[in-house]
Amino acid sequence: MDHKMLMTLLPFAVLALVFALRFRSMNKERPLDLKRIWILPGVLIVLAAMTLSAMPPDTTTLMWAALALAVGAVIGWYRGKTIAIHHDPQTGQLTQKPSLIGFLLVVVLVGLKFGARSLFGIDPAAATGATPDPAAAMFTDILLAFAIGLLVATQAEVTLRAKRLMAAR
């Protein structure tokens, strides 16, 4: 197997392994720590700001990105509603159990990312340092906005539901 083929197949193998492990643990409840729930969205927002400041998008891209942010927020809010949250009144511990819908949504998003890579001819094995295709840059900015909307809305919904659940007990 040549180097280029290996570099093309490696991300798929890693993703398949991650998705298989994630799918296997879907029926297990995991601790929900409201103090740390905003770390990942915060990191994503900082990375997005750094990315967008390095290559500022044009007005059209900003318009589409704002729409993608809103759509991501709506889907993220729905995704947050599908996550089961439980509160143990004796220990005060919150737990969460992800849903199959949320998992499938992530699989579809990753598929879209790889589909976009093929559509725009982006080859991860060829690190040429060339300027990216403007359409590819626009598409990635839009997907980044969608991801931020999705993640922030999901965490907001989970946080609000968890706090209501704790207050009701």
Side-chain angles (χ1 to χ4, degrees):
M1 183 178 298
D2 67 348
H3 177 69
K4 188 173 181 175
M5 179 65 111
L6 182 63
M7 292 303 291
T8 302
L9 292 178
L10 187 61
F12 289 108
V14 170
L15 282 172
L17 178 64
V18 168
F19 284 145
L21 292 173
R22 184 83 170 125
F23 186 75
R24 203 177 82 195
S25 68
M26 289 228 7
N27 288 329
K28 297 177 185 173
E29 289 189 351
R30 294 177 291 167
L32 173 60
D33 186 356
L34 293 179
K35 294 175 186 162
R36 291 194 236 170
I37 197 168
W38 289 99
I39 292 174
L40 181 60
V43 168
L44 182 61
I45 289 169
V46 168
L47 290 174
M50 290 170 50
T51 300
L52 294 176
S53 67
M55 288 182 57
D58 60 13
T59 307
T60 304
T61 302
L62 284 175
M63 181 187 69
W64 284 107
L67 179 64
L69 182 76
V71 170
V74 168
I75 294 171
W77 197 264
Y78 176 75
R79 179 178 174 242
K81 286 188 170 297
T82 66
I83 296 172
I85 303 172
H86 300 286
H87 180 248
D88 184 345
Q90 293 174 341
T91 64
Q93 177 68 40
L94 288 168
T95 56
Q96 65 181 340
K97 183 178 171 186
S99 70
L100 181 60
I101 291 172
F103 175 77
L104 292 175
L105 181 62
V106 171
V107 171
V108 168
L109 288 174
V110 170
L112 282 175
K113 179 189 178 293
F114 279 104
R117 181 185 286 176
S118 296
L119 178 69
F120 293 115
I122 300 169
D123 183 5
T128 62
T131 305
D133 179 3
M138 179 181 178
F139 189 74
T140 57
D141 289 347
I142 292 168
L143 277 182
L144 188 58
F146 179 84
I148 290 171
L150 178 86
L151 190 57
V152 168
T154 298
Q155 302 302 53
E157 168 61 18
V158 168
T159 300
L160 291 173
R161 284 184 36 231
K163 286 185 176 184
R164 282 193 303 260
L165 188 62
M166 287 177 14
R169 304 269 167 152

